[in-house]
């Protein structure tokens, strides 16, 4: 791990709640294992994994205010479902507060919650590492996803998007249009 990553890690340790920080470290190492498995850049996976939830350092209302302050435009759907906002805000903070210049890493942070059709390998890795990291509480189907992810990451992305849509529908919450597009794209 580079010195810069160690510094960012220390900052996040201070800024994030304990459980969020533990989750972050779980995502970081899970992402690096997936990068090894799929032959992609391990440093980028560590960086994106470490920063993926950096937008969650403050409550949702404050996240919305920060977006207004920094001119980050939010869709109607995001304003309706503020749980999505930390991804966009996180990509902004990763760039301007943590100094990450690599667009591939910034996009992996930005799309980690909803996914998107045609994700890069790094984007898929962060999307799925967020779901399967060891500290995640048992959710139905988690074992199946963990079982396939090192053989077939697209299938793991599909199963995870399906579970998310199902979970939201069951809870009477709308799924973001991007979440639905991700699900449909990986269904094929
Ligand atoms: O930030 P994490 O908790 O690690 O995970 P995440 O970035 O996947 O965010 C999960 C939260 O976002 C969870 O409460 C479910 C919610 N979420 C994810 N996709 C959608 C969504 N909520 C709505 N309403 N619509 C979505 O499409
Ligand atoms: Fe998140
Ligand atoms: Fe997360």
């Amino acid at each position: 791990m580079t010195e810069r990553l160690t510094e960012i890690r220390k900052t996040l340790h201070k800024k994030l709640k304990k459980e969020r920080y533990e989750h972050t470290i779980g995502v970081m190492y899970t992402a690096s294992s997936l990068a090894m498995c799929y032959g992609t850049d391990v440093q980028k996976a560590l960086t994106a994994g470490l920063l993926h939830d950096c937008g969650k350092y403050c409550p949702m209302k404050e996240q919305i205010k920060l977006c207004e302050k920094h001119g980050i435009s939010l869709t109607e759907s995001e304003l309706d479902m503020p749980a999505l906002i930390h991804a966009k805000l996180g990509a902004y903070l990763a760039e301007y507060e943590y100094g990450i210049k690599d667009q591939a890493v910034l996009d992996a942070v930005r799309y980690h919650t909803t996914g998107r059709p045609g994700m890069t390998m790094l984007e898929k890795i962060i999307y799925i590492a967020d779901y399967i990291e060891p500290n995640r509480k048992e959710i139905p189907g988690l074992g199946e996803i963990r079982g396939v992810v090192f053989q077939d990451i697209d299938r793991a992305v599909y199963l995870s998007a399906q579970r998310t849509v199902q979970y939201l529908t069951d809870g009477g919450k709308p799924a973001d249009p991007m979440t639905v597009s991700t699900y449909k794209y990986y269904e094929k």
Side-chain angles (χ1 to χ4, degrees), residues 84 110-116 127 176 178-180 182-183:
L84 304 175
R110 181 178 181 129
Y111 294 105
H112 85 266
T113 302
T114 59
R116 63 166 162 172
Y127 178 82
D176 183 78
M178 190 70 96
T179 304
V180 177
T182 303
Y183 169 50

Side-chain angles (χ1 to χ4, degrees), residues 20 23 27 52-53 56 86 112 130 136:
R20 181 62 49 190
H23 161 71
V27 171
H52 85 283
D53 274 341
K56 277 204 163 167
H86 74 285
H112 85 266
D130 191 24
R136 261 289 179 227

Side-chain angles (χ1 to χ4, degrees), residues 10-179:
K10 281 186 194 149
T11 305
L12 289 172
H13 185 58
K14 284 184 218 141
K15 287 200 150 204
L16 299 176
K17 292 202 180 102
K18 186 174 177 295
E19 279 197 1
R20 181 62 49 190
Y21 178 75
E22 296 298 335
H23 161 71
T24 290
I25 300 304
V27 171
M28 178 178 80
Y29 283 120
T30 303
S32 85
S33 306
L34 286 166
M36 290 172 198
C37 173
Y38 288 103
T40 55
D41 194 301
V42 172
Q43 284 302 320
K44 289 187 194 200
L46 286 167
T47 308
L50 182 60
L51 284 165
H52 85 283
D53 274 341
C54 73
K56 277 204 163 167
Y57 80 96
C58 62
M60 286 178 199
K61 273 194 181 161
E62 230 172 286
Q63 292 172 22
I64 296 177
K65 279 191 194 149
L66 281 169
C67 286
E68 283 165 5
K69 180 179 161 194
H70 295 300
I72 303 166
S73 63
L74 297 173
T75 63
E76 241 168 74
S77 162
E78 284 165 330
L79 287 166
D80 275 353
M81 316 168 197
L84 304 175
I85 292 172
H86 74 285
K88 230 182 208 180
L89 176 63
Y92 176 90
L93 296 174
E95 182 168 3
Y96 296 103
E97 286 203 8
Y98 295 94
I100 304 302
K101 298 283 167 251
D102 188 327
Q103 193 58 45
V105 172
L106 299 174
D107 284 342
V109 173
R110 181 178 181 129
Y111 294 105
H112 85 266
T113 302
T114 59
R116 63 166 162 172
M119 284 188 275
T120 63
M121 182 54 80
L122 181 63
E123 286 165 18
K124 287 189 272 195
I125 284 174
I126 301 303
Y127 178 82
I128 204 71
D130 191 24
Y131 205 84
I132 63 162
E133 65 93 7
N135 305 301
R136 261 289 179 227
K137 291 201 186 74
E138 238 349 281
I139 29 182
L142 183 58
E144 187 189 359
I145 296 172
R146 283 176 171 162
V148 302
V149 70
F150 287 91
Q151 279 82 47
D152 185 350
I153 195 167
D154 282 11
R155 176 149 179 83
V157 168
Y158 162 66
L159 289 170
S160 154
Q162 184 192 46
R163 291 287 139 70
T164 300
V165 171
Q166 183 74 48
Y167 159 84
L168 291 166
T169 314
D170 289 352
K173 288 185 203 161
D176 183 78
M178 190 70 96
T179 304

